[in-house]
Amino acid sequence: NTLSSRLEPAGGIINMLRNTASRCAVALCVRSSTVGERWALVTGSRAFSSAAADDVVYDLVTIGGGPGGYVGSIKAAQMGMKVACVEKRGTLGGTCLNVGCIPSKALLNNSYLFHQAQKDFESRGILVDNPRIDLEKMMNAKSTSVGQLTGGIEGLFKKNKVEYVKGAGRMLSADTVEVELAEGGKKTLKAKHVMLATGSEVTPFPGVTIDEESIVSSTGALSLKKVPGKMVVIGAGVIGLELGSVWERLGAKVTVVEFLGSIGGAGIDAEGSKTFQR
C-alpha cells in the first residue's frame, strides 16, 4: 500500500497485479515521483524492492575467514548478533587449513610412509619391491583432507546463521565494507562493528619474482607437479624445515640456507634445534 500510493501510474496496473498475486509474482519496472525508477516485486498488496538487501545493517562484518575470523564470527552469531564473514580465497579456514598446517602435515605424513618403505621396512621384516610414488595421487589425498575441513567450517556457518560472502573486502568507512564478489560485481555491507582478520602474505625478496613454479613460496611448495632434482630452501624455520623434509623424502637433494646461528626458527628450544641440525 505504501509503494502503490506513491506511484504515478497507480490505476488499473497495480490493481491487476494485486488480483493476480495469488497465482504468480510479477516483476515490474515502475516510476515513482519521489524515488525515480526502481525494480519492485509486487505480491498482493505489498511490494518488496530488490534494494532492500542493501539496507541490512549487520551487527558484525568480519573481513577474513581464517582461524581468527571464522571463530570470531561463529561466536558472535552464537551470542545473538547478525554476522557476515567476507573471504576472498573461496574456502574458509585461512592459511592454516588451506595452505599451511593441514596440507603440510598431510604431505609430511605420506612422505614419511614412503621414506619408511624405502629405508626402514626391510629392517622390520617388511619386504617391498621398488616402492614408488604417484605424486598426483598424493596431492589429491592432501586436497581431500583440506576440503573436508574447510567444508566443515561452511557447515558451522550455516548452523549458526553466519552469512558467508565470497570476495575481497575493503573498508569504505568505519561502518561500510565493499566486497568485490568472486562471482563478479560488488556488494556493500553496512555494519555496527567490523573485525579485521586478514591474515598475512608471503614477503618476497627485492628483485625476486615468485612464480610458484621454479621460485616458490611455501604455498607453491605444497603443490609442485613433480619432484625437483635439487631444492634450495631459504630459511630454516619450522615451515622451511617441514617442506624441505617432504621433498627430500620424495627424492630431491635439499640444501637449507639460514642466516641465524641455529635452525628451527625464533623461540625454538636450543636442545630441539641441535637435534634438528643433527
Side-chain angles (χ1 to χ4, degrees), residues 106-185:
L107 291 180
L108 275 169
N109 182 62
N110 291 337
S111 65
Y112 178 64
L113 294 175
F114 177 65
H115 177 79
Q116 280 190 306
Q118 283 188 312
K119 308 291 185 182
D120 191 46
F121 277 7
E122 186 174 353
S123 66
R124 297 174 183 273
I126 304 171
L127 303 180
V128 178
D129 294 332
N130 190 27
R132 304 178 306 283
I133 63 165
D134 184 328
L135 189 59
E136 184 177 356
K137 281 188 177 180
M138 188 176 288
M139 292 298 175
N140 288 340
K142 174 205 69 176
S143 299
T144 298
S145 298
V146 170
Q148 289 172 342
L149 292 172
T150 57
I153 298 174
E154 286 197 43
L156 290 174
F157 269 26
K158 292 176 182 177
K159 178 181 179 181
N160 291 281
K161 297 181 173 57
V162 176
E163 183 177 340
Y164 175 24
V165 183
K166 295 182 180 181
R170 69 186 185 100
M171 299 290 298
L172 293 184
S173 65
D175 64 351
T176 306
V177 176
E178 182 184 74
V179 184
E180 188 171 340
L181 298 171
E183 62 186 16

Side-chain angles (χ1 to χ4, degrees), residues 53-269:
D54 295 333
D55 298 332
V56 173
V57 177
Y58 296 89
D59 295 306
L60 174 68
V61 169
T62 303
I63 302 179
Y70 81 75
V71 173
S73 295
I74 291 172
K75 185 62 177 179
Q78 289 172 342
M79 295 174 68
M81 293 185 179
K82 184 175 182 60
V83 183
C85 181
V86 180
E87 171 56 54
K88 68 180 182 180
R89 192 188 303 274
T91 52
L92 296 167
T95 295
C96 180
L97 263 65
N98 289 277
V99 291
C101 316
I102 301 305
S104 68
K105 298 307 182 290
L107 291 180
L108 275 169
N109 182 62
N110 291 337
S111 65
Y112 178 64
L113 294 175
F114 177 65
H115 177 79
Q116 280 190 306
Q118 283 188 312
K119 308 291 185 182
D120 191 46
F121 277 7
E122 186 174 353
S123 66
R124 297 174 183 273
I126 304 171
L127 303 180
V128 178
D129 294 332
N130 190 27
R132 304 178 306 283
I133 63 165
D134 184 328
L135 189 59
E136 184 177 356
K137 281 188 177 180
M138 188 176 288
M139 292 298 175
N140 288 340
K142 174 205 69 176
S143 299
T144 298
S145 298
V146 170
Q148 289 172 342
L149 292 172
T150 57
I153 298 174
E154 286 197 43
L156 290 174
F157 269 26
K158 292 176 182 177
K159 178 181 179 181
N160 291 281
K161 297 181 173 57
V162 176
E163 183 177 340
Y164 175 24
V165 183
K166 295 182 180 181
R170 69 186 185 100
M171 299 290 298
L172 293 184
S173 65
D175 64 351
T176 306
V177 176
E178 182 184 74
V179 184
E180 188 171 340
L181 298 171
E183 62 186 16
K186 294 183 179 180
K187 182 174 184 177
T188 300
L189 307 176
K190 300 289 288 185
K192 297 176 184 178
H193 305 280
V194 177
M195 177 168 66
L196 301 179
T198 53
S200 61
E201 293 183 348
V202 173
T203 301
F205 291 108
V208 177
T209 300
I210 296 176
D211 59 15
E212 300 296 15
E213 293 181 4
S214 59
I215 301 176
V216 300
S217 66
S218 57
T219 299
L222 290 166
S223 301
L224 295 178
K225 294 180 175 59
K226 63 179 182 179
V227 178
K230 294 181 179 180
M231 173 180 283
V232 175
V233 178
I234 301 177
V238 173
I239 296 173
L241 294 179
E242 279 189 341
L243 294 174
S245 297
V246 166
W247 293 107
E248 190 278 333
R249 291 168 179 169
L250 297 180
K253 183 177 180 181
V254 177
T255 301
V256 179
V257 179
E258 174 55 58
F259 173 77
L260 298 177
S262 61
I263 65 173
I268 192 171
D269 177 78

Side-chain angles (χ1 to χ4, degrees), residues 3 24-28 30 38-44 46-50:
L3 180 61
C24 62
V26 182
L28 159 83
V30 294
R38 300 181 69 176
W39 281 96
L41 181 65
V42 181
T43 56
R46 300 181 64 189
F48 299 90
S49 169
S50 65

